[in-house]
Amino acid sequence: MLVVFLLLVLFCSVIMFLSDMSGKSPLYKKAFVFFSSPISRELVSHIKKDSSVLTRIGALREMNLEYFAIDSQGFITDNERALEELFVDEEDSRKGDACLNVMASRIATVFASLREFPFVRYRAAKSLDVTTMTTFRDLIPTKLAARIWDCLIQYKQKTEHFPQTETCELLILDRSIDQIAPIIHEWTYDAMCHDLLNMEGNKYVHEVLSKAGGPPEKKDVLLEEHDPVWLELRHAHIADASVRLHEKMTNFVSKNKAAKIQHGSRGGGELSTRDLQQMVQALPQYSEQIDKISLHVECHIDIVKALLGLFEIAGKINRIIRESGLRELGQLEQDLVFGDAGMTDVIKFLTTKEDATRENKLRLLMILAAIYPEKFEGEEGHNIMKVVRLPQDDMNAVNNMRLLAAASETKKSSTGAFSLKFDIHKKKRAARKDRTGAEETTWQLSRFYPMIEELIDKLNKGELSKDEYPCMNDPSPTFHGTSQSTPMHQAPAPHSMRSRRTPTWARPQNSDDGYSSDSVLRHASSDFKKMGQRIFVFIVGGATRSELRVCHKLTSKLQREVILGSSSLDDPPHFITKLKLLTANELSLDDLQI
């Protein structure tokens, strides 16, 4: 039904276009027509029928752009309802198939536009034994891989200059691969901005002093890659980002005459964070002086305003962390994930920290449910609900974590016996391997890592199990009969022969103005010309900012550009709202905002 509707919309659009461009008095003298996806021969023939329209068409092309870029290494297919349509409690295979069809065609346009032909790998459905029923949810990556493959074959056969041999790797996963990443508090600057602040996409609105001394003016700060400081700090721990922003502000003031004048009027001394903020906020009042001493001012005032926006954002985040007791909660979350805390610790926190917000209690319980799903069944589940005293729609989100569990995990929890009492002597369970010994962790609360980090690393080394992650276009005839973890093909050459344009935002900026970035991206990692074949990872059901961060990190580490795709990019509050809908279809997203 959805496919028919989209075709009807396209047909109506073409009819409207022909109406605008036909006759003696067309609406436009010339039309340049670009389709975001392939169109049928019938529609092309319909356009060609009107000879008067043909002479007025300057271009007619298929662009293959049915996706949205969220940054230089991430894209979404804008299937916002994918979680609801694919993981819902009462499965609807017809609706699910329609969702996967649209998603597959949009993913395929990514490869068509980039002229890439991937090895298509996917997470296979797991089962413990022959009695385990395979559900539609278990087969999501398998079904999506097959549909993407069909689309790619069409491009390979019909699209000019499309590669005829594999040029990259695609790994298809779904949200069941990592239930914790979408809800745990991620402590990097980027993730905290979108988690804790009321942002509109990548836009943050803040207030600055007006030039005329009137009421504060609202200013927009866009957290995007054109800003070199944001580029440098977005993936830094919030504590590190705050320190480095303070250093940049101090450095700017020390080099700026107008700021020095104001500093002198305050009696000198060491500058506090508040002093720096007020000083730079007042700089627009010194614009005339700045013009006069422009030779001595190394920062344009607009750049300073942008820096001030980031400075204010970091300060607001730190206030929220302090006032909501988020550090203690964050420590418990990570201890829970790494097996250093258990059920008893969570219950103690929830019963003693009465000032904890409803959302934070809910997220902690959801992490617990991902690690101990059996604890939320039967009588014990009711006991937990009584202890935490959360409303029913919140508990729906906790209970719906089971819908994101893999088949083997569901089987274990449904057959295993458990005590109706909290067993403080029971061995604690870990959802992650602790890697603090292997990787340096300068800041607290930075131990957590998304599961895709391990999977991408194994894929790069050729160590990803063929049994668990088969390939649609594997050349081996015995592929599906082996459980070996050997590479499916020769590991890609460390330096691809394909030339790639270096992004403009990655070019070095030689400046010492207290603002310019010293980001790693300014160095070797961003030179895509020296990198090997790309790795694409697509997650059905929503990706997280921590997973996007991992792709940037591994691009530098592996010297292969890693690109993350998903049906949507979800921050924790938005993801929780979607999760509630899996058993509450009559409610709207607006009704469930937490």
Side-chain angles (χ1 to χ4, degrees), residues 96-115:
D97 283 330
C99 177
L100 290 176
N101 286 337
V102 172
M103 198 181 299
S105 65
R106 292 176 180 176
I107 295 169
T109 66
V110 174
F111 297 98
S113 64
L114 294 177
R115 294 293 190 268

Side-chain angles (χ1 to χ4, degrees), residues 160-201:
E160 188 179 4
H161 304 307
F162 193 82
Q164 297 300 298
T165 57
E166 289 80 1
T167 61
C168 62
E169 296 182 84
L170 167 63
L171 178 61
I172 300 171
L173 310 168
D174 64 25
R175 198 59 271 169
S176 68
I177 199 68
D178 191 345
Q179 303 170 60
I180 296 174
I183 50 180
I184 194 170
H185 284 89
E186 162 80 359
W187 288 78
T188 59
Y189 191 19
D190 180 19
M192 291 222 132
C193 284
H194 290 87
D195 187 358
L196 303 182
L197 304 181
N198 185 24
M199 293 182 60
E200 301 174 19

Side-chain angles (χ1 to χ4, degrees), residues 271-549:
L271 289 167
S272 68
T273 298
R274 184 174 179 81
D275 290 336
L276 286 169
Q277 186 170 356
Q278 291 180 345
M279 189 176 298
V280 182
Q281 278 182 331
L283 278 177
Q285 300 173 14
Y286 293 86
S287 57
E288 185 177 344
Q289 285 178 282
I290 289 178
D291 290 338
K292 291 179 180 178
I293 58 173
S294 59
L295 290 176
H296 303 279
V297 179
E298 299 178 29
C299 262
H300 191 278
I301 193 63
D302 290 339
I303 298 179
V304 180
K305 289 178 181 177
L307 177 56
L308 176 60
L310 295 179
F311 194 67
E312 179 179 311
I313 289 171
K316 186 171 183 178
I317 289 173
N318 282 313
R319 284 195 300 274
I320 294 173
I321 291 171
R322 184 172 59 253
E323 292 168 1
S324 61
L326 206 53
R327 286 191 180 89
E328 184 177 355
L329 173 67
Q331 187 66 59
L332 178 55
E333 286 179 345
Q334 302 225 0
D335 287 346
L336 192 59
V337 169
F338 288 97
D340 299 324
M343 188 77 183
T344 307
D345 303 286
V346 174
I347 297 301
K348 181 180 178 181
F349 179 90
L350 293 172
T351 53
T352 58
K353 300 294 180 180
E354 295 184 358
D355 56 340
T357 66
R358 169 185 163 190
E359 179 189 334
N360 287 340
K361 288 180 179 179
L362 175 58
R363 288 167 69 169
L364 184 59
L365 273 183
M366 291 172 74
I367 295 172
L368 188 68
I371 301 172
Y372 298 95
E374 72 279 2
K375 294 291 185 181
F376 291 84
E377 298 176 358
E379 184 67 24
E380 190 164 10
H382 291 298
N383 290 339
I384 294 174
M385 288 177 62
K386 291 178 183 178
V387 170
V388 297
R389 291 180 294 181
L390 287 176
Q392 183 58 49
D393 65 307
D394 282 357
M395 290 310 299
N396 283 345
V398 178
N399 294 328
N400 287 346
M401 292 294 287
R402 62 187 168 80
L403 301 175
L404 301 182
S408 57
E409 295 173 1
T410 305
K411 182 78 173 179
K412 287 177 185 176
S413 64
S414 62
T415 57
F418 55 87
S419 170
L420 295 180
K421 297 182 180 180
F422 302 138
D423 186 357
I424 61 174
H425 301 294
K426 189 172 182 177
K427 187 177 180 181
K428 293 168 185 174
R429 196 179 300 168
R432 292 288 189 283
K433 296 177 182 177
D434 197 337
R435 305 183 308 178
T436 51
E439 297 188 12
E440 183 180 355
T441 52
T442 307
W443 299 95
Q444 279 189 329
L445 307 175
S446 59
R447 285 196 296 165
F448 178 80
Y449 60 93
M451 291 303 298
I452 67 165
E453 185 167 347
E454 288 187 351
L455 294 177
I456 295 171
D457 197 42
K458 288 182 179 180
L459 179 65
N460 175 67
K461 295 176 181 177
E463 297 175 354
L464 205 58
S465 167
K466 290 182 178 182
D467 190 37
E468 296 179 12
Y469 298 91
C471 179
M472 293 297 299
N473 43 334
D474 189 278
S476 170
T478 59
F479 180 86
H480 296 287
T482 179
S483 60
Q484 296 178 358
S485 298
T486 52
M488 63 177 174
H489 57 87
Q490 291 295 321
H495 301 307
S496 174
M497 296 301 292
R498 180 173 58 257
S499 176
R500 297 180 185 164
R501 178 179 61 84
T502 302
T504 55
W505 49 257
R507 291 173 184 162
Q509 298 181 21
N510 296 320
S511 176
D512 186 26
D513 53 14
Y515 179 81
S516 298
S517 169
D518 190 29
S519 171
V520 175
L521 290 171
R522 286 178 53 193
H523 304 295
S525 66
S526 62
D527 189 356
F528 295 148
K529 291 181 180 179
K530 297 179 181 178
M531 291 189 174
Q533 294 180 347
R534 287 183 173 113
I535 295 175
F536 292 82
V537 180
F538 190 88
I539 303 175
V540 181
T544 70
R545 295 186 186 275
S546 61
E547 288 162 337
L548 185 57
R549 170 180 57 82

